[in-house]
Amino acid sequence: MSHPVLRVRGLCHRFEGAHDGAWAVREASFELHPGEVLAIVGESGSGKSTLLNCIAGRLAPAEGQVLYRCRDGREVDVHRVGERERRELSRTEWGFVEQQAHEGLRMNVSAGANVGERLMGQGERRYAALRDTATRWLARVELDPARLDDSPREFSGGMRQRLQIARNLVTRPRLVLMDEPTSGLDVSVQARLLDLIRLLVGRLHLSAIVVTHDLGVARLLAHRTLVMRQGRIVEQGLTDRVFDDPQHPYTQLLVSSVVSA
């Protein structure tokens, strides 16, 4: 069996400025394997996004470890490496898709420049190669390549999210972290985006973690699902099992609220 891409061990994070006992994430532990998609679900304030930001190295945990296995086989503790190495990992080994696409894009440069920027971070300086790769990736995420030189400000919300996905995947990361990637989009736009994400994750054999409050998103995309409540993982398992035969009362409540809606 292959080694996990990610091992999270006893992760804890306090709310900023909180006194003793106020935990945003408490004792979170799980593994993620190559090619696996994991959903983290729960109501607002359950700790989903905080956990994701700790995994990405954006927030420092009070306790615990985030162990990532690099492309070269090394396993590194995300929070023990230096800031420079952590930034390098975030540009090469994993990507982060923001809930609000404008936060994951540079809005003052063109669509092509947004895609090419990560390639430049890896040393590509040939203008023709940058434009060619950006053009191909726009087509790959179902954006018109003729809009390569357009500003993201001219794009719709769904188009911006697809552009953000292209920006993240152009460097072929092994792990993609997504924070509510379909939030705020129209239902038809959500459906197209979810189909695109599922297609790309499968074709590129990516490992992915998707934070969502929408159980339908988790069921469509994820092999396994974690359920969080008040900062703790209360249930985890194969997605179909978690939703079709929930064991924890909170998971039962989440599932029944969707069925009755």
Side-chain angles (χ1 to χ4, degrees), residues 159-171:
M159 292 169 68
R160 288 180 185 178
Q161 200 61 293
R162 294 201 295 277
L163 178 60
Q164 188 189 181
I165 290 170
R167 175 180 168 89
N168 275 276
L169 297 189
V170 69
T171 52

Side-chain angles (χ1 to χ4, degrees), residues 64-83:
Q65 294 177 300
V66 178
L67 302 171
Y68 175 77
R69 187 169 295 277
C70 300
R71 209 181 302 265
D72 62 10
R74 292 180 302 127
E75 187 174 64
V76 298
D77 188 331
V78 171
H79 294 282
R80 288 189 176 273
V81 298
E83 180 62 28

Side-chain angles (χ1 to χ4, degrees), residues 101-170:
H102 68 269
E103 295 180 1
L105 296 170
R106 291 185 61 198
M107 301 299 288
N108 60 339
V109 302
S110 69
N114 266 281
V115 178
E117 185 177 49
R118 278 175 69 106
L119 290 172
M120 291 180 69
Q122 291 191 350
E124 179 61 76
R125 293 292 185 270
R126 295 171 299 164
Y127 180 73
L130 290 168
R131 283 187 67 86
D132 180 63
T133 302
T135 298
R136 285 188 281 108
W137 267 99
L138 257 61
R140 199 164 193 174
V141 297
E142 300 174 1
L143 291 173
D144 184 356
R147 303 199 64 178
L148 184 72
D149 295 315
D150 289 357
S151 165
R153 298 182 191 280
E154 302 171 32
F155 289 2
S156 68
M159 292 169 68
R160 288 180 185 178
Q161 200 61 293
R162 294 201 295 277
L163 178 60
Q164 188 189 181
I165 290 170
R167 175 180 168 89
N168 275 276
L169 297 189
V170 69

Side-chain angles (χ1 to χ4, degrees), residues 35 46 55 61 79 96 121 133 153-154 159 183 189 204 209 211 235 248 252 254 257 259:
S46 61
I55 292 167
H79 294 282
F96 195 107
T133 302
R153 298 182 191 280
E154 302 171 32
M159 292 169 68
S183 180
V189 178
L204 299 176
I209 300 177
V211 161
E235 186 163 356
H248 193 277
Q252 294 169 1
L254 282 181
S257 67
V259 172

Side-chain angles (χ1 to χ4, degrees), residues 183-219:
S183 180
L185 301 178
D186 292 341
V187 173
S188 60
V189 178
Q190 284 188 27
R192 285 185 61 193
L193 184 63
L194 288 171
D195 285 343
L196 174 66
I197 291 171
R198 185 169 60 173
L199 179 68
L200 290 174
V201 167
R203 282 185 176 175
L204 299 176
H205 196 61
L206 298 172
S207 301
I209 300 177
V210 182
V211 161
T212 181
H213 66 279
D214 188 332
L215 303 192
V217 170
R219 191 184 280 275

Side-chain angles (χ1 to χ4, degrees), residues 245-256:
D245 186 25
Q247 302 299 304
H248 193 277
Y250 176 68
T251 312
Q252 294 169 1
L253 181 64
L254 282 181
V255 172
S256 65

